[in-house]
Amino acid sequence: MPTWIRAPLRLLGQRLRHEPPADTTLADNFQDRATERGYTLSDGQRRVITAMAAQLAAFATGQARSLYLYGAVGRGKSWLLDGFFQAVPTAAKRRLHFHDFFARLHQGMHRYRALDNALGATLDELLGDCQVLCFDEFHVHDIGDAMLLTRLFDALFARGVLLLVTSNYAPEGLLPNPLYHQRFLPVIRLINSRMQVLEVDGDTDFRSLPANRAHQRFTQGHYVWPGDAQQRERLRLPMPQPLQLEVNQRPLRVLASNGRQVVFSFHDLCEQPTAVIDYLALAERYDHWIIEGLYDLAECSLAAQQRFVNLVDVLYDQDRQVTVIAKRSLEQSLGGALADLMRTRSRLGQLHQAGPT
């Protein structure tokens, strides 16, 4: 049979053996999900969906390129990541919050520190034969983490892992501290050379839409100020019964604990040397968190501000119900110098706000 006949027949056979073209399927799926929730896809989201579809089509041939999505809070980055993750036609995939993964990465490297390749052994344990890895909420503020990232990304690319990363920051905006930014440039260059960088823009904050709020336990919580007796009675807040927990082999005081509900003070959670891995462990134990004593982050140390940002990130990602008891309104309480506080303001802004009556 002539080549000019065989080639089209071979292509026809490939199409019959596979699903419909990835771009049409993925685009239709996102459109259906957007319609179901009552909103219109932004131009930025459509551009990202087109790029995702192209990489899905290339995935079958091993030619897919990793993606880095960035944009302001509430522009649908996590929603896009979830849709891409569901569409990838392999079981060898993982979707992880970056905080969670990096905490476990540090733990593993400590366990395997006697080995020549502690990083490789840790990745074998955490990822196995993973082909697609999705990181949500990627950001870097610690120079120690930053130095490890170059090695991590090099190792992932060497393994042929397809990455999809979401961040509030363009690559050039990561680790903005001028004392360390220059040392982070190798990671920025690696991201720009090995990943397709796309901005998710648009005018709508999708987190504020009623359909999205209805699907989240986090948004059923409350931000209450000034936390007077009447407000506490209406919310049926538990009476203080202080006790001490052990979290990751360290003591941590709680104001009260009842089943899956827990009450912490802001001081104990954020002004003590707690870490993301502690919040993750506690989020597995407790569904409803009550955080007492938030006053003004601007008066706290940068370390305490960062811990509070990390805490809210974990509780939002783990979809825990949260009640914050503050002295002042949200706008007055979340002053501070950290760029990440914009994301925290957006997330706490989704809680039911209850001021003085």
Side-chain angles (χ1 to χ4, degrees):
M1 183 181 297
T3 303
W4 63 275
I5 294 178
R6 286 200 307 269
L9 287 177
R10 186 166 57 249
L11 290 174
L12 177 60
Q14 291 172 351
R15 290 175 182 172
L16 290 173
R17 289 192 300 270
H18 294 284
E19 295 295 322
D23 55 341
T24 304
T25 304
L26 189 68
D28 288 348
N29 181 46
F30 272 115
Q31 183 59 63
D32 290 345
R33 293 173 65 201
T35 301
E36 180 184 341
R37 296 201 177 189
Y39 59 78
T40 302
L41 295 171
S42 69
D43 291 341
Q45 289 177 328
R46 292 183 186 279
R47 284 192 296 271
V48 169
I49 292 167
T50 299
M52 286 177 165
Q55 301 315 320
L56 277 181
F59 179 73
T61 63
Q63 303 298 314
R65 188 180 184 193
S66 295
L67 297 172
Y68 183 103
L69 312 182
Y70 75 95
V73 295
R75 296 309 179 266
K77 299 183 296 296
S78 297
W79 180 76
L80 290 166
L81 180 143
D82 287 339
F84 178 84
F85 181 79
Q86 293 169 13
V88 175
T90 178
K93 57 185 177 181
R94 301 287 299 278
R95 184 222 187 274
L96 301 170
H97 192 282
F98 187 69
H99 275 316
D100 189 357
F101 176 81
F102 222 65
R104 298 181 192 282
L105 183 70
H106 277 294
Q107 281 185 322
M109 292 189 67
H110 179 73
R111 277 197 309 276
Y112 293 116
R113 62 188 181 278
L115 301 181
D116 291 336
N117 187 7
L119 176 58
T122 303
L123 292 178
D124 287 342
E125 177 184 300
L126 294 179
L127 300 180
D129 62 352
C130 178
Q131 298 175 17
V132 178
L133 180 58
C134 295
F135 280 143
D136 203 14
E137 301 292 357
F138 176 75
H139 53 270
V140 189
H141 297 283
D142 180 86
I143 186 58
D145 290 348
M147 303 309 290
L148 177 57
L149 272 173
T150 303
R151 295 174 56 203
L152 171 62
F153 275 44
D154 274 333
L156 292 174
F157 290 136
R159 288 168 172 250
V161 174
L162 173 64
L163 287 179
L164 193 147
V165 173
T166 72
S167 179
N168 291 338
Y169 307 97
E172 290 73 17
L174 294 168
L175 195 65
N177 189 326
L179 294 175
Y180 307 129
H181 187 75
Q182 192 72 19
R183 297 169 64 185
F184 194 63
L185 291 180
V187 180
I188 294 173
R189 287 193 290 267
L190 188 62
I191 290 171
N192 284 322
S193 65
R194 298 297 299 269
M195 307 180 77
Q196 183 178 0
V197 178
L198 297 164
E199 182 177 8
V200 185
D201 55 14
D203 298 325
T204 302
D205 185 341
F206 291 90
R207 292 173 179 163
S208 66
L209 298 178
N212 284 342
R213 291 177 59 88
H215 286 81
Q216 297 177 34
R217 181 163 49 184
F218 182 89
T219 59
Q220 305 312 307
H222 295 80
Y223 182 95
V224 179
W225 63 281
D228 58 34
Q230 288 183 333
Q231 290 175 322
R232 291 172 181 275
E233 185 175 349
R234 283 198 298 270
L235 290 173
R236 298 181 180 178
L237 298 181
M239 295 296 293
Q241 294 179 317
L243 68 150
Q244 187 168 282
L245 297 178
E246 183 175 289
V247 184
N248 293 317
Q249 300 180 337
R250 294 191 303 273
L252 179 64
R253 188 177 74 124
V254 300
L255 299 182
S257 175
N258 181 18
R260 302 286 292 180
Q261 183 185 72
V262 67
V263 184
F264 288 105
S265 73
F266 173 85
H267 174 83
D268 290 326
L269 278 178
C270 301
E271 295 187 312
Q272 301 298 315
T274 55
V276 168
I277 196 166
D278 300 326
Y279 310 147
L280 289 166
L282 290 164
E284 292 180 359
R285 297 189 203 178
Y286 301 107
D287 296 324
H288 183 191
W289 289 52
I290 300 168
I291 302 170
E292 289 262 18
L294 176 64
Y295 183 64
D296 184 357
L297 284 179
E299 298 183 4
C300 299
S301 67
L302 288 178
Q305 292 180 35
Q306 187 65 60
R307 290 190 191 103
F308 187 67
V309 166
N310 294 344
L311 172 64
V312 173
D313 282 347
V314 168
L315 296 177
Y316 185 91
D317 187 66
Q318 300 295 320
D319 198 23
R320 297 297 181 253
Q321 184 175 336
V322 176
T323 298
V324 177
I325 312 296
K327 299 294 184 183
R328 305 161 70 182
S329 69
L330 181 61
E331 293 76 15
Q332 294 172 314
S333 296
L334 263 65
L338 291 180
D340 277 346
L341 281 170
M342 178 173 23
R343 181 174 70 254
T344 306
R345 294 183 192 105
S346 173
R347 291 182 164 178
L348 293 183
Q350 296 175 69
L351 302 177
H352 298 279
Q353 308 290 305
T357 56

